[in-house]
Amino acid sequence: MSPKQLEQLAPDLWVADGRANERMPAFLRKYDFSTRMTVIRLADDALFLHSPVRLSDELHTELDAIGRVRVVVAPNRLHHLFAGDYQAAYLDARLYGALGLQLKRRDLRFAALLGDEPRPEWKGQIEQHLFKGAPWLNEVVFFHPASRTLLLTDLAFNVPAGSTWGVPWVSRLLGVEGRFGPTRLGRLAIRDRVAAARSLRRILDWDFDRVTVTHGEVVASGGRAKLDDAFAFLRE
């Protein structure tokens, strides 16, 4: 029996790891470009899927066992590769995407684009904020108060030292090994530091402890202080 893909972190909170390699050019497929989906079960047993990974038969079964997939979120302009899998498998699910994806993925049907205001399906249960000053990403950050969990996508990585994540020289170039925080490209993506600093302050107003990231390890505790420290350059 294959191991379960869903790992429960807290009541109504799971993560599922996957690989983005299958949707990458052939020469990159041998490398471990791991990625992660965060799953939140809402009050009506509807499932909120953040940054979807490939939908295997096993994962499909596991999701169906914990709730009903009703919301699929592509939270920035880069994390959309597997969104179509869920749209095809769950006809009642609504897909929400970051601003700009409607032009990049004309093959997908977006119910709406994401901003600062939570949609009715998760309003009162999940909070969100469009991180300003980095239009290349247009990343929307989510906060699940019930589990004190912040959901990040590409604003910060948490790749442990010695990890096999990605092409070795790419990991070194991005400066992601052995630390939690933005990559070098992530810093360059911030074009307006004043706006980004305001966004950071708003996010830090949330009472979170855990941070799920799509690349690297989950920050199990102390996430708020670590995020504040990782983005200290915005105050320079």
Side-chain angles (χ1 to χ4, degrees), residues 13 41 212-213 231:
L13 178 73
R41 184 167 56 197
T212 62
V213 295
F231 282 86

Side-chain angles (χ1 to χ4, degrees), residues 3-7 47 57-67:
K4 286 187 174 183
Q5 271 193 266
L6 283 178
E7 176 189 357
L47 298 181
D57 291 341
E58 293 79 10
L59 181 56
H60 197 310
T61 299
E62 290 178 43
L63 290 170
D64 290 348
I66 63 170

